Amino acid sequence: MKNNYNLRSIAAQAIGQVLDQGQSLSTILPSLQKNISDKDRALLQELCFGALRVLPQLEWCIQQLMAKPMVGKQRTLHYLLMVGMYQLLYTRIPAHAALAETVNGAVALKRPQLKGLINGVLRQFQRQQDQLLQRAANNDSRYLHPSWLLKRIQQAYPEQWEHIVEANNQKPPMWLRVNRLHHTRDEYLKLMEQAGIAAAPHAEYRDALRLLSPCTVNELPGFAEGWVTVQDASAQGCVDLLDPQDGEQILDLCAAPGGKTTHILEAAPKAHVMAVDIDEQRLSRVNENLQRLRFSAEVKQGDGRTPQQWCGDKQFDRILLDAPCSATGVIRRHPDIKWLRRDRDIAELASLQAEIMDAIWPHLKPGGVMVYATCSILPQENNEQVLAFLQRHADAQRVETGKQHQPGRQNLPHPEDGDGFFYAKLIKL
């Protein structure tokens, strides 16, 4: 493929789509990556994710260096400056190459007359970099979070908030889930050692391994054969808690992209699993995951608030509800979440979660188990949500999985552990 594109201008446009149009990087990047070379795909991802991870720092530096912000049609050039600064600060790209490519980005964005401006600001940044960073370290931009979210984290975790924020700002560890139908975790660990890949087992989740340094999936022994799946450790905890059994009718609700669906089938290959999600496009990922691991499940498009439409009066032995949420526990994997979410979203999401829980509960058999899970760290979506549900449903009983005075278990993001995740296990009386 001939390299006739400017990667920095593509990154600037992608960042603009996130910040100005509210689109997520996971939606934007796949189509952009189709048109660029293999080696540039990873760099595009690094530039976009990286710039959004440290956005307040880059914004603050630009404010110090420019008399007035670039607005309107020139806004993409503002994002191009961010991409340039990010490279100078956080990548090993030689400074001269980073500058030249970023300045050429102005031409690719059909603003050749602004090449001089981009060059001037970036060179000034190079000269003043140390002083600027020192000053930035003494204002709120150093937390790299929007103020509303920082406030919520501080209120919920007065003693741990700094650790949470720090973990959110780091690159995420790469976790694997070993398919127990092929190998035990220890057996697979030996295969990894033979392949020269260093990994460590999770202390609690039985299938989870953390790579000491990330690699591509093609390097993993037996990836194509379904021996292993890339999945965060905390996400794996859902299925350990659900404890699916062969022969049972199990519902995985809000199932896309299918990591938990396939984990259920690894744990109970003879279970009858229905995987449901509202997003038809994302359901194709569920089918891809099932195919790679050679499993079959009943995959349906449907709204969790209206289960009669997709399962009639059917009842299930177990239900895993990985509810739509703020995703504040997975910010390190998806730094654009910080800029896509708004404070008002939390109440709206909590209301949607309650609606889905109430709608699906009648479809759980008496004696059945429901695991409610979110990748959020906010109490409104988690323990407060479950407490309110227990008050509304006299036939629901919680199974202790965390502190006695709180329903459920809250994992917080940690550099050497899983993402922020909440689970609560409920039994129907």
Side-chain angles (χ1 to χ4, degrees):
M1 182 185 291
K2 196 178 172 213
N3 184 342
N4 57 358
Y5 50 81
N6 180 280
L7 199 69
R8 279 72 179 171
S9 68
I10 296 171
Q13 288 170 298
I15 292 165
Q17 283 179 274
V18 173
L19 298 176
D20 300 334
Q21 296 169 33
Q23 294 187 54
S24 75
L25 280 180
S26 47
T27 306
I28 299 162
L29 281 180
S31 58
L32 293 177
Q33 288 173 320
K34 276 179 197 163
N35 305 317
I36 63 177
S37 70
D38 290 350
K39 73 176 180 68
D40 278 345
R41 281 175 195 168
L43 179 56
L44 178 64
Q45 188 163 318
E46 165 71 9
L47 295 177
C48 294
F49 276 73
L52 289 168
R53 188 172 280 121
V54 297
L55 182 78
Q57 184 190 57
L58 302 176
E59 286 277 22
W60 187 85
C61 289
I62 292 173
Q63 281 171 16
Q64 309 313 303
L65 296 170
M66 295 187 74
K68 55 181 184 183
M70 286 187 275
V71 292
K73 288 179 180 174
Q74 290 186 1
R75 193 71 186 151
T76 313
L77 278 296
H78 177 86
Y79 303 134
L80 184 65
L81 276 175
M82 282 185 182
V83 170
M85 287 181 183
Y86 178 78
Q87 290 168 93
L88 292 170
L89 283 175
Y90 295 105
T91 71
R92 293 177 184 173
I93 298 165
H96 66 91
L99 282 167
E101 285 294 321
T102 306
V103 169
N104 286 335
V107 180
L109 293 167
K110 298 183 172 56
R111 293 280 184 280
Q113 70 279 19
L114 293 174
K115 274 176 75 175
L117 174 69
I118 299 293
N119 187 46
V121 173
L122 289 177
R123 287 194 179 280
Q124 202 183 342
F125 174 69
Q126 256 190 313
R127 287 193 296 272
Q128 298 180 29
Q129 186 175 308
D130 294 343
Q131 301 95 299
L132 283 169
L133 293 184
Q134 219 168 357
R135 284 167 58 203
N138 293 316
N139 62 43
D140 275 356
S141 73
R142 72 184 185 273
Y143 295 121
L144 309 178
H145 280 57
S147 55
W148 71 265
L149 179 56
L150 191 63
K151 193 174 167 187
R152 279 188 182 262
I153 296 172
Q154 287 168 334
Q155 283 172 344
Y157 305 98
E159 288 166 20
Q160 297 146 295
W161 71 269
E162 285 181 285
H163 295 295
I164 295 168
V165 166
E166 197 180 326
N168 284 351
N169 294 337
Q170 292 178 11
K171 289 182 182 176
M174 183 172 174
W175 284 94
L176 304 179
R177 185 186 82 225
V178 178
N179 184 344
R180 60 179 87 160
L181 297 176
H182 290 282
H183 301 90
T184 66
R185 185 172 65 180
D186 289 347
E187 286 167 353
Y188 192 78
L189 205 48
K190 286 196 180 83
L191 293 173
M192 298 269 280
E193 278 170 31
Q194 287 162 17
I197 303 169
H202 193 277
E204 188 178 352
Y205 303 131
R206 62 176 282 187
D207 302 315
L209 285 177
R210 177 173 57 87
L211 296 192
L212 302 194
S213 59
C215 68
T216 66
V217 292
N218 301 330
E219 295 171 69
L220 299 170
F223 180 80
E225 291 80 17
W227 293 1
V228 70
T229 293
V230 177
Q231 187 185 38
D232 182 74
S234 290
Q236 297 182 41
C238 294
V239 173
D240 285 0
L241 201 56
L242 187 70
D243 192 25
Q245 303 296 317
D246 282 337
E248 289 182 332
Q249 297 287 338
I250 300 174
L251 171 65
D252 183 7
L253 184 53
C254 311
K260 297 180 189 72
T261 309
T262 51
H263 197 190
I264 290 168
L265 287 160
E266 287 171 12
K270 291 178 183 165
H272 307 282
V273 178
M274 183 187 285
V276 177
D277 200 276
I278 196 166
D279 188 334
E280 201 159 1
Q281 259 188 316
R282 291 184 77 226
L283 276 175
S284 63
R285 294 278 308 282
V286 180
N287 286 314
E288 283 167 23
N289 279 314
L290 286 165
Q291 207 173 344
R292 182 178 69 85
L293 291 158
R294 296 168 181 76
F295 288 131
S296 61
E298 196 177 350
V299 179
K300 290 191 168 191
Q301 193 261 334
D303 189 326
R305 295 168 293 185
T306 53
Q308 309 84 343
Q309 292 180 7
W310 42 264
C311 74
D313 296 324
K314 185 169 182 171
Q315 291 204 313
F316 299 89
D317 297 288
R318 293 177 202 262
I319 295 173
L320 173 56
L321 168 54
D322 186 2
C325 71
S326 62
T328 43
V330 293
I331 283 170
R332 60 187 183 176
R333 292 189 191 283
H334 305 281
D336 49 343
I337 286 164
K338 294 186 285 189
W339 320 114
L340 292 170
R341 287 273 171 266
R342 299 287 176 268
D343 195 24
R344 64 177 179 272
D345 295 343
I346 309 307
E348 287 171 19
L349 285 162
S351 166
L352 173 62
Q353 290 152 2
E355 218 180 320
I356 295 173
M357 286 175 88
D358 288 345
I360 203 61
W361 187 248
H363 293 267
L364 184 66
K365 294 177 185 176
V369 167
M370 179 164 90
V371 170
Y372 171 80
T374 74
C375 55
S376 167
I377 57 168
L378 301 179
Q380 296 89 329
E381 301 177 89
N382 295 341
N383 58 320
E384 289 175 18
Q385 182 70 267
V386 174
L387 281 171
F389 179 82
L390 290 164
Q391 287 180 329
R392 293 195 302 274
H393 296 271
D395 60 347
Q397 183 179 24
R398 76 192 205 201
V399 178
E400 293 303 345
T401 49
K403 292 176 183 170
Q404 293 300 308
H405 64 282
Q406 288 180 346
R409 165 181 172 159
Q410 179 70 66
N411 287 0
L412 297 174
H414 186 280
E416 292 176 7
D417 207 330
D419 293 335
F421 225 92
F422 174 83
Y423 335 89
K425 186 171 185 172
L426 303 169
I427 289 178
K428 192 170 198 178
L429 301 173

